[in-house]
Amino acid sequence: MTTSLSPEDTVTATAALGTLIRGHRLRIGLTQQELADLSTISVRAIRDLEKGKAQRPRADTIRLIADGLRLGPRARTALEDAVRRGHGHRGGVGPGGLAAERLAPPVPLHPLIERAAESTVLTEELRSGTERLITVVGLSGVGKTRLALEAAARLHDAGFPVLWHTAPGAVADCLPACDGRLAALTADCAAFLHGDGPTDDLAPELAGALGDRAVLLVLDGVDTALLDFHRLSRLLRELPGLRLLVTADEPWNVPGERLFLLSPLEAPDPSDGIRPDAPAARFFLSRLRHVRPDIVPDERVLADIAWVSHRLDGHPLALAAAASWLTVCDLTTLRGIVESDPASLLDHLADGRSASRLRERVTRALAALPDGHRHLIGALCAASEDAFVLEDVLRLTGMPLPHCGRMVRDLLVSGVIRSDTDGGRSAFRVLSVVRALAADAMATTTASATATTPTTVSASASATMPTTVSASASATASPATTPSATMAASPATTPWTTAAASPTTPRTPVR
């Protein structure tokens, strides 16, 4: 069906055509005069086209310009589509037709609990253009996707088109909002940044689709190691309105990246008083109402919720998994399980996919840490106190202060520890999900080591490994074993040998 465009739509379409031509020209480094010489079109005509003044360019003019720009079939088609739209053809919407639309982000399936401060900071930095590349990192299940959805929704309300891409294999708790053609454009952007496809066509196509407008591109759940920074640099250079929001388990570590660390929800120690309004308690209560609406949140219930939330460090996915168990047990029993065997509660009764993802990602996060970091986690898991401070890391590692500071930062970024402000000091705590899975990780490591090294350890090797899990070593171990000796243990026996040691094995307290 062919209909006439309004004057406003015609201006929009011709502006998109001009942006396409200018983008292609700048990409290959031509001036307007040089393009005029190559295409045999006057400089004035090219200038008018790029400024959007020529509202009905002739088909042969566009063909000559395409020849002068040496455009490939895809880019030439995009240029012709922009011309047809300017002539009033609506039967097929080309890329230029997206300029007047506000592409919407996906719709979240769950309400946002707290995160008001994080949402405000993230939205304002992207809206103002203060940051054009933000990577939200944190342990799997901490709420990165939900925060990105909130920021995208706020920016969409402020007039931003939103292109949203969910990486294959990522669990997306949202309803997609894009139709086929918009999803294809978004997929092209994601493929381009992953190094797939030609390098010449996408930037001008996006420029034609979106013009000079600010636009948000979200890459949710991607592996930053697979992204091509040089291609991103080109997009940022040629599309000044582009903002990129990435959610990932690890930072990209490229110039211009703003690292946004997302920690679990606040879950204060109930020993200092029950706080029903604490973010983690509110989140758990919302999930409790889904599975057990008959439970009345009286004083005792709120106390149990506060203890469960604190014991699971306010980690949203762990809390959701624990709440699913209320279909088969009461809250008091659940609290007892959390205290004695929290690892079993990580299996979500209604969604095994989430449980396996959490276990897998925590194990992967630990495996990705350098040896020294894993040794430190092992020593911290073996400590009698949950919280630790920077001085404890200095004492355990014997390393200089800058090195210890970087280690703590790396552990925070990986999500295996979180800040602990209960005592009004700069303290940290290993997440309970990490502690809970330590035994599993140790068992896997031990089985692998046994399968690959069936021979016994020599006497000289035994002399260099003071932390051994054998019965003889436990019987002869000196109570004066130092933290530095624990940290110097062989990678084959740490970090989980300390955590899995028998009750008779001497432990080194942290605080």
Side-chain angles (χ1 to χ4, degrees):
M1 178 179 180
T2 302
T3 59
S4 296
L5 292 178
S6 66
E8 293 80 3
D9 287 340
T10 301
V11 171
T12 298
T14 54
L17 172 64
T19 304
L20 271 177
I21 295 175
R22 182 174 181 273
H24 285 301
R25 178 175 62 79
L26 294 178
R27 173 179 57 81
I28 60 177
L30 294 179
T31 64
Q32 290 180 336
Q33 181 61 59
E34 289 170 336
L35 177 57
D37 294 340
L38 289 172
S39 63
T40 69
I41 304 297
S42 69
V43 175
R44 180 177 179 179
I46 292 174
R47 185 182 302 117
D48 288 345
L49 280 168
E50 290 190 357
K51 290 183 176 180
K53 293 183 178 180
Q55 297 188 7
R56 298 183 65 85
R58 295 167 56 91
D60 57 348
T61 299
I62 298 303
R63 177 180 56 79
L64 290 171
I65 288 177
D67 292 341
L69 291 170
R70 304 293 192 269
L71 297 184
R74 178 176 173 181
R76 188 181 293 264
T77 299
L79 206 65
E80 293 169 352
D81 284 341
V83 173
R84 284 195 294 271
R85 182 159 179 79
H87 286 178
H89 296 278
R90 288 187 183 269
V93 181
L98 304 181
E101 300 181 24
R102 265 197 313 137
L103 318 181
V107 179
L109 297 178
H110 305 289
L112 182 68
I113 305 295
E114 293 298 327
R115 303 294 195 193
E118 295 95 330
S119 300
T120 300
V121 171
L122 192 60
T123 302
E124 181 56 28
E125 290 183 352
L126 290 168
R127 186 200 62 79
S128 64
T130 303
E131 304 291 347
R132 297 184 63 196
L133 168 60
I134 298 181
T135 303
V136 181
V137 297
L139 194 64
S140 180
V142 79
K144 300 186 293 292
T145 297
R146 187 62 187 87
L147 179 64
L149 285 168
E150 179 67 18
R154 294 188 183 188
L155 289 171
H156 181 257
D157 291 341
F160 276 62
V162 177
L163 299 175
W164 184 285
H165 171 76
T166 299
V171 179
D173 294 330
C174 56
L175 301 175
C178 288
D179 59 21
R181 58 194 172 84
L182 303 185
L185 179 60
T186 305
D188 286 345
C189 293
F192 179 81
L193 291 176
H194 280 84
D196 299 331
T199 61
D200 297 337
D201 296 342
L202 182 63
E205 182 178 349
L206 278 175
L210 301 165
D212 295 329
R213 301 173 63 186
V215 58
L216 176 66
L217 172 61
V218 182
L219 302 180
D220 180 38
V222 297
D223 183 351
T224 52
L226 303 178
L227 297 178
D228 189 325
F229 176 68
H230 297 292
R231 291 194 172 202
L232 172 65
S233 299
R234 178 178 174 183
L235 284 185
L236 294 176
R237 183 174 60 251
E238 298 188 17
L239 300 171
L242 178 65
R243 278 81 155 150
L244 179 60
L245 176 60
V246 178
T247 70
D249 291 335
E250 299 179 4
W252 198 348
N253 292 324
V254 294
E257 177 187 35
R258 195 289 207 212
L259 191 61
F260 196 101
L261 174 60
L262 188 63
S263 298
L265 296 169
E266 183 186 359
D269 190 343
S271 300
D272 300 327
I274 304 300
R275 281 185 48 194
D277 62 334
R282 291 183 56 208
F283 179 88
F284 187 83
L285 184 59
S286 70
R287 293 308 177 96
L288 179 148
R289 287 169 174 159
H290 279 83
V291 294
R292 290 292 302 274
D294 58 300
I295 295 180
V296 178
D298 56 21
E299 184 176 347
R300 179 177 178 180
V301 167
L302 293 176
D304 286 340
I305 289 176
W307 279 107
V308 170
S309 302
H310 177 71
R311 192 72 178 87
L312 295 179
D313 302 294
H315 188 279
L317 188 55
L319 291 174
S324 73
W325 281 77
L326 291 173
T327 57
V328 297
C329 68
D330 57 67
L331 189 55
T332 303
T333 302
L334 179 68
R335 174 179 169 178
I337 298 175
V338 169
E339 293 290 346
S340 61
D341 185 23
S344 61
L345 296 178
L346 299 182
D347 289 317
H348 198 300
L349 296 189
D351 187 0
R353 176 182 57 177
S354 295
S356 61
R357 178 167 58 99
L358 179 57
R359 291 175 179 272
E360 175 188 338
R361 294 296 175 86
V362 171
T363 302
R364 185 184 305 173
L366 290 169
L369 294 174
D371 289 343
H373 293 55
R374 292 199 301 272
H375 297 162
L376 176 60
I377 289 293
L380 293 172
C381 286
S384 57
E385 295 289 338
D386 287 341
F388 68 94
V389 295
L390 187 57
E391 288 81 357
D392 295 317
V393 179
L394 282 166
R395 180 169 55 84
L396 286 169
T397 64
M399 301 298 292
L401 180 61
H403 180 83
C404 292
R406 283 190 290 269
M407 289 182 74
V408 173
R409 179 188 180 276
D410 292 343
L411 295 176
L412 283 169
V413 170
S414 69
V416 299
I417 69 172
R418 66 163 300 167
S419 298
D420 185 347
T421 58
D422 287 341
R425 56 178 182 164
S426 297
F428 310 93
R429 190 169 68 245
V430 179
L431 264 63
S432 289
V433 293
V434 174
R435 292 177 180 272
L437 296 177
D440 292 342
M442 185 276 298
T444 302
T445 303
T446 302
S448 175
T450 302
T452 56
T453 56
T455 58
T456 57
V457 180
S458 65
S460 60
S462 300
T464 63
M465 294 191 297
T467 54
T468 311
V469 297
S470 65
S472 60
S474 297
T476 60
S478 170
T481 301
T482 63
S484 59
T486 302
M487 293 299 300
S490 166
T493 59
T494 55
W496 307 125
T497 51
T498 310
S502 66
T504 59
T505 302
R507 290 189 174 187
T508 305
V510 177
R511 295 290 297 171

